[in-house]
């Protein structure tokens, strides 16, 4: 009997880790699975009240990627989630972090790209067109610029 419980516990653990990689979709969303591109990939779509495409992008450790988002509407945004991370918080959002996200992947994972139309903002219309650009980078993104040596800084050394 004890062996049976151990087997069931192990099976549940394996199943739960397999299901953890599947994103939870909102009503009306459609999932599109993407492969890591060899060259720049451009996705065009329309987001309206949750009825839009949601994309998963499988990435491997060591890959460098830049993901950019553009829309004519100031109420359309992109949120990027790590599907393998159990937290509900986005790792990047264009509403707070700017229009593009460049990173080097530390471990194999799947990124969820979720374009959305903000419901909290006053607006006209039901949605907005968007463009997502996925760019594989040959090298790691450059680190943030530091002040040049020898030049005085307003904020001290």
């Amino acid at each position: 009997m004890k062996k049976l419980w151990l087997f069931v516990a192990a099976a549940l653990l394996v199943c739960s880790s397999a299901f953890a990689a599947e994103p939870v979709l909102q009503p009306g969303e459609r999932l599109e699975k993407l492969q890591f591109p060899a060259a720049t990939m451009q996705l065009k779509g329309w987001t309206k009240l949750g009825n839009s495409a949601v994309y998963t992008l499988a990435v491997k450790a060591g890959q460098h990627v830049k993901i950019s988002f553009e829309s004519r509407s100031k109420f359309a945004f992109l949120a990027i989630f790590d599907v393998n991370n159990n937290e509900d918080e986005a790792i990047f959002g264009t509403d707070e972090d700017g229009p593009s996200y460049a990173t080097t992947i530390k471990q194999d994972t799947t990124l969820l790209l979720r374009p959305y139309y903000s419901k909290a903002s006053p607006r006209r219309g039901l949605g907005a067109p968007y463009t997502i650009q996925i760019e594989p980078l040959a090298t790691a993104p450059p680190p943030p610029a530091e002040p040049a040596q020898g030049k005085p800084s307003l904020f001290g050394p």
Side-chain angles (χ1 to χ4, degrees):
M1 186 69 172
K2 191 174 185 178
K3 286 183 180 182
L4 176 65
W5 283 111
L6 288 174
F7 176 75
V8 170
L12 287 174
L13 182 63
V14 169
C15 290
S16 67
S17 65
F19 289 118
E22 285 299 314
V24 177
L25 299 180
Q26 305 298 321
E29 290 182 331
R30 301 174 313 281
L31 181 64
E32 293 186 25
K33 295 182 180 185
L34 307 173
Q35 298 295 322
F36 193 81
T40 300
M41 173 191 299
Q42 193 172 59
L43 308 168
K44 291 182 179 258
W46 181 272
T47 180
K48 64 174 187 178
L49 302 176
N51 294 322
S52 66
V54 174
Y55 309 94
T56 57
L57 177 66
V59 289
K60 303 256 184 230
Q63 288 180 319
H64 312 295
V65 65
K66 179 180 178 185
I67 301 171
S68 303
F69 180 79
E70 185 178 306
S71 178
R72 292 185 305 211
S73 171
K74 61 182 180 179
F75 303 115
F77 303 103
L78 175 69
I80 301 175
F81 298 87
D82 183 347
V83 174
N84 294 339
N85 189 345
N86 292 332
E87 296 178 17
D88 288 336
E89 192 165 328
I91 58 174
F92 178 83
T94 58
D95 57 341
E96 295 177 357
D97 302 319
S100 63
Y101 173 65
T103 189
T104 300
I105 305 302
K106 292 180 180 39
Q107 63 184 13
D108 293 0
T109 191
T110 301
L111 298 178
L112 175 70
L113 311 176
R114 176 173 275 146
Y116 67 95
Y117 194 60
S118 175
K119 293 180 183 179
S121 304
R123 67 208 181 275
R124 288 181 57 172
L126 296 174
Y130 63 84
T131 302
I132 300 172
Q133 190 166 330
I134 303 171
E135 239 179 299
L137 301 175
T139 60
E146 293 183 17
Q149 297 281 336
K151 292 186 178 178
S153 173
L154 294 175
F155 303 106

